[in-house]
Amino acid sequence: QVQLVESGGGLVQPGGSLRLSCAASGSLFSINVMGWYRQAPGKQRELVASITKGGSTNYADSPKGRFTISRDNAKNTVYLQMNSLKPEDTGVYYCNAQNRFTRYDYWGQGTQVTVSS
């Protein structure tokens, strides 16, 4: 089993920055890809960014150039640095980890990000 705990969400003004953290624990040998998803009110959950154990990254178009995903394997933690935040970035952000053998997805509880003046 894998447990994921997100933190770092909050209320920020447009143009501001926020740094999310996801601490992973459990049977981490099976995890390669981890990522961040978000879900805005009334919208489908969407991928924001992902990262492999080796550091290869992938970003959705809208946050590309503004967000940076990173990973500290020693701490079993994935981060999402969010800069130049826009109101449309508002939503619940979920940490995700995939079992590379079974393709099973693990999810954190989510952390709220609100961008508003």
Side-chain angles (χ1 to χ4, degrees):
Q1 291 293 316
V2 173
Q3 292 78 45
L4 305 172
V5 179
E6 304 101 328
S7 62
L11 174 64
V12 295
Q13 293 183 325
S17 298
L18 208 59
R19 182 172 177 257
L20 306 182
S21 299
C22 173
S25 61
S27 302
L28 303 180
F29 72 94
S30 64
I31 304 300
N32 182 26
V33 180
M34 296 184 66
W36 289 95
Y37 289 72
R38 69 187 178 190
Q39 188 165 20
K43 301 293 184 180
Q44 184 174 298
R45 184 170 56 193
E46 64 178 357
L47 174 70
V48 177
S50 64
I51 186 168
T52 68
K53 186 177 294 184
S56 297
T57 59
N58 184 56
Y59 296 90
D61 288 339
S62 59
K64 196 170 187 178
R66 300 185 296 119
F67 292 7
T68 302
I69 189 170
S70 61
R71 184 168 181 166
D72 187 336
N73 290 325
K75 295 182 178 180
N76 297 319
T77 302
V78 173
Y79 305 93
L80 185 67
Q81 179 66 48
M82 304 185 293
N83 299 323
S84 302
L85 283 162
K86 304 174 180 179
E88 48 263 47
D89 294 319
T90 294
V92 179
Y93 283 68
Y94 297 92
C95 184
N96 165 269
Q98 184 172 268
N99 186 310
R100 68 178 187 267
F101 303 114
T102 67
R103 308 291 178 88
Y104 181 84
D105 286 314
Y106 299 93
W107 297 95
Q109 81 286 353
T111 184
Q112 177 70 43
V113 172
T114 303
V115 185
S116 177
S117 58

